[in-house]
Amino acid sequence: MAYNLLKGKKGIIFGALDERSIAWRTALKCHEEGAELVLTNAPVALRMGEINKLAEAVNAPLIGADVTNMDDLKKLFEESMKHFGSGIDFILHSIGMSLNMRKGKSYTEIDYEWNKKTLDISAMSLHRVLRTAWDLDALNEGASVVALTYIAAHRSFPDYNEMADAKALLESVTRSFGYYYGVKKKVRINTVSQSPTRTTAGSGVKGFDGFISYAEKMSPLGNASSDDCAGYCATLFSDLTRMVTMQNLFHDGGFSYTGVTEAVINQMEK
């Protein structure tokens, strides 16, 4: 069901990879709610071709951008504003990549040069995006920025590896830049801490299948799906949440505040 929450709004969606990704589902939801979109991802991701189907479905241009390259980001925002004929009302940052996890390095033996790239791509990319928008005055008054995070930024999840550090940094950037942008233009910046979700990226985490089953048992409402998260992001982009900023918002079926459940106890006692 659509509510026209984003009628007349214009936004950029970072990170849609395939039909399972949260960014993909969020783009579809925002389009359904009346928004105009620009889609962006790294040039290598665009060459995979999947995102072309999404671009056609939501009638959005594709603009490649390396989020570690300020020139690419400047071009992205300039071309987006030209396409929209105005400033930007919302941004979804759905970007994360761990070289150490890809290479099978445990947290106690991470390669520090790879770690720098992980932090740059997964966390400081948000600062670069916000800095570029700030310098170009690209965001409209009261705009909304959402970045996707995970509870491993707050609690120990061994197999989440260096991405836990990246998400902690991402949330810190959200709070710090959120202050300045709030004062300047009433722009809201928040993170959404989503349930473990069967995306291409999520499935690359060691032991993911076991953990998603555990989280389902630990969450009173069960795990939130990609489509659930897309709907939540749409509300954060809307005018209904104009006074919410600098927050880490848990969207996890209650997992984050549940100590233990009967389902978990029963499983342990078997």
Side-chain angles (χ1 to χ4, degrees):
M1 180 181 294
Y3 303 92
N4 281 326
L5 288 178
L6 304 178
K7 185 177 181 180
K9 293 191 180 295
K10 300 167 176 61
I12 300 176
I13 303 290
F14 284 81
L17 183 63
D18 57 37
E19 293 182 3
R20 296 197 300 169
S21 71
I22 293 173
W24 187 295
R25 310 312 297 180
T26 301
L28 291 175
K29 184 61 178 176
C30 291
H31 176 69
E32 180 185 4
E33 292 294 340
E36 296 178 50
L37 301 172
V38 164
L39 302 176
T40 184
N41 210 325
V44 65
L46 296 187
R47 287 196 293 271
M48 293 171 66
E50 285 290 305
I51 197 173
N52 291 312
K53 294 189 296 184
L54 177 63
E56 183 177 350
V58 301
N59 191 31
L62 282 171
I63 303 175
D66 176 351
V67 291
T68 67
N69 185 303
M70 294 296 284
D71 290 335
D72 274 16
L73 289 174
K74 183 174 184 287
K75 179 182 177 183
L76 167 65
F77 277 97
E78 288 176 339
E79 291 189 8
S80 296
M81 288 188 288
K82 182 178 180 180
H83 170 72
F84 292 138
S86 68
I88 295 154
D89 298 302
F90 65 88
I91 293 172
L92 177 70
H93 178 284
S94 180
I95 303 165
M97 189 278 295
S98 169
L99 281 172
N100 279 289
M101 289 175 70
R102 284 187 178 182
K103 302 292 187 178
K105 291 279 190 180
S106 72
Y107 187 76
T108 57
E109 62 176 15
I110 59 174
D111 180 293
Y112 296 113
E113 290 305 311
W114 291 347
N115 181 247
K116 289 177 184 177
K117 293 181 180 179
T118 295
L119 297 178
D120 198 16
I121 293 169
S122 305
M124 290 311 295
S125 60
L126 177 61
H127 195 288
R128 292 174 186 272
V129 167
L130 294 169
R131 167 71 182 278
T132 304
W134 177 282
D135 289 347
L136 294 175
D137 196 24
L139 294 182
N140 291 329
E141 186 87 8
S144 176
V145 179
V146 171
L148 299 181
T149 186
Y150 186 56
I151 196 174
H154 303 265
R155 299 184 188 178
S156 179
F157 291 83
D159 291 330
Y160 204 63
N161 208 308
E162 63 179 343
M163 281 302 297
D165 298 339
K167 294 302 188 184
L169 178 55
L170 180 78
E171 292 176 21
S172 180
V173 170
T174 296
R175 291 187 295 271
S176 297
F177 225 125
Y179 168 79
Y180 292 105
Y181 237 141
V183 170
K184 182 180 183 180
K185 294 192 73 173
K186 305 299 181 186
V187 169
R188 300 160 279 154
I189 306 174
N190 296 288
T191 51
V192 168
S193 185
Q194 166 71 356
S195 298
T197 310
R198 293 191 184 280
T199 62
T200 300
S203 298
V205 177
K206 182 181 176 183
F208 181 79
D209 287 341
F211 181 67
I212 199 170
S213 176
Y214 168 75
E216 181 73 25
K217 290 181 172 64
M218 275 288 290
S219 307
L221 299 181
N223 290 329
S225 70
S226 295
D227 285 327
D228 291 328
C229 189
Y232 190 44
C233 289
T235 67
L236 293 171
F237 296 146
S238 79
D239 292 338
L240 298 178
T241 51
R242 294 185 71 88
M243 298 303 291
V244 181
T245 193
M246 301 164 60
Q247 302 298 307
N248 178 50
L249 302 164
F250 290 104
H251 186 258
D252 59 9
F255 176 91
S256 50
Y257 284 94
T258 301
V260 72
T261 63
E262 290 182 6
V264 170
I265 292 173
N266 293 338
Q267 183 69 33
M268 295 293 290
E269 290 179 342
K270 286 183 179 180

